[in-house]
Amino acid sequence: MAYLDHAATTPMLDEAIEAYAATAREVGNPSSLHAAGRCARRHVEESRERIAAALGARPSEVIFTGGGTEADNLAVKGIFWARRAEQPGRIRVIASSVEHHAVLDSVEWLVRHEGATATWLPVDEAGRLNPATLAEALDDDVALVTAMWANNEVGTLQPITDLAAIASGRRVPFHTDAVQAVGQVPVDFAASGAAALTVTGHKLGGPVGVGALLLGRDVACTPLLHGGGQERDVRSGTLDAPGIVAFAVAVEHAAKTQREYAARVSALRDQLAAGVRQVVPDVIYNGDPVDRLPSNAHFSFPGCEGDALLLLLDAQGVACSTGSACSAGVAQPSHVLIAMGADDDRARSSLRFTLGHTSTQADVDALIAALPATVERARRAGMIKSR
């Protein structure tokens, strides 16, 4: 199989699997005071230090979570609640219009249930946010600003340091979802100026179900979960020591190999993009042509349904993803492409191809070989359906 969906999840690194297995053979709750518990706690704290060093944070700023979605929810809701409690007039959340649903839905939940108001910042046709737009939107009623480091669909990179500086200048915490960015582009928490940053394991060679919120020590955050008071009393719950150890191995590896990885994968990505354009001349390449993730190639195929293309490619052993989200069994056009100015047809005709550490030239060749007949068949099906 040609696996071209690494942005959804990427295979665990061998060293992460070995670290997980070795730690899982030991017994001990990291919160227990006996020797076994202290051993598990040592694994957790050493992992916290490794992740902090790899991502330019202090160990005390690493809050372990059950993954990226929980970390996003904790940042958006927790910081909003804390800010509103301190200053009741701060009830507005500013977010980009192309956020991952973990952020988008969290903001909308606050609007529906907590009396928040939301400002959705527009992006240009490449999916890029203009910092001036954020500056114009800021006022004394803003509790939080959130903008993702790299878009999960089209791969466009945002000017995070500029955005964070603008928010900080108005004393507003800035959160960024860096789930797709870590390991692909340089990510340094301290240098970014962000108050909070989300990262997860399974996007960079670690296990599913473990992630972290990097949270500045001076940033108040009301917990979502209540219980044992773990993780600075911000995130209660028994810590997954084996998962955390494997997560730390993956983060450290991703940070150390980022330049080499980006060079290799971007070369493959460019070959993929060129090949797709050659065999489907009217294809539309979405996202910023330069400031984008090295692994991401996102296209719209005129006259095709993205879901149909995905299934036809899957039948030929090529795994990718569609740019549309599915809600309650009804396909919806990508909110990211709509925000970029695409019409519904273009938004529904998109596919995302993403590469990773196991990707090879053979994967690219398999896609290019399968694509012409797949597109032709999908277009025929679309013509029949429209009659």
Side-chain angles (χ1 to χ4, degrees), residues 65-73 102 177 179 198-202 210-212:
T65 68
T69 293
E70 184 192 340
D72 281 342
N73 274 258
D177 179 335
V179 162
T198 295
V199 60
T200 197
H202 73 110
V210 61

Side-chain angles (χ1 to χ4, degrees), residues 164-186:
I166 291 168
S168 178
R170 296 295 297 271
R171 298 185 179 180
V172 176
F174 178 82
H175 164 254
T176 184
D177 179 335
V179 162
Q180 295 290 340
V182 174
Q184 300 211 45
V185 296

Side-chain angles (χ1 to χ4, degrees), residues 27-57:
V27 66
N29 185 320
S31 296
S32 297
L33 298 180
H34 47 60
R38 294 196 303 273
C39 181
R41 170 59 66 177
R42 184 172 65 253
H43 288 315
V44 168
E45 296 309 320
E46 288 174 352
S47 297
R48 196 188 309 276
E49 291 174 0
R50 294 171 72 177
I51 291 169
L55 299 180

